[in-house]
Amino acid sequence: MNTVFKALNDETRREILVLLQQSDLSAGAIAEHFNIGKATISHHLDLLKQANLVTAEKQGQFVIYSLNTTVIDDVLAWFIGFKNGKS
């Protein structure tokens, strides 16, 4: 859970998640939405993968990133349990 919160703590990573909510994208397509280097985008994507917030699948010469909603469901369940005093 700490890895998830660390990943969500950065605005760029949250924006990447919003992009992936709309559609699966390659790292290059994600980078086009930001005014930062591709290496920095790769670092952000790596942290999101470590937190299991995104998945990566090799398709030809591209890696396609997808949102992993299972982890988000787990975080929401934790919040609801916390709110109800059951965490």
Side-chain angles (χ1 to χ4, degrees), residues 15-16 19 25-38 41 45 62:
E15 288 178 30
I16 290 170
L19 286 172
L25 297 168
S26 67
I30 292 168
E32 290 175 5
H33 289 86
F34 298 93
N35 192 21
I36 56 179
K38 289 183 179 181
I41 291 294
L45 288 168
F62 298 101

Side-chain angles (χ1 to χ4, degrees), residues 64-75:
I64 304 300
Y65 292 89
S66 304
L67 187 62
N68 181 8
T69 57
T70 331
V71 173
I72 295 167
D73 291 341
D74 293 344
V75 171

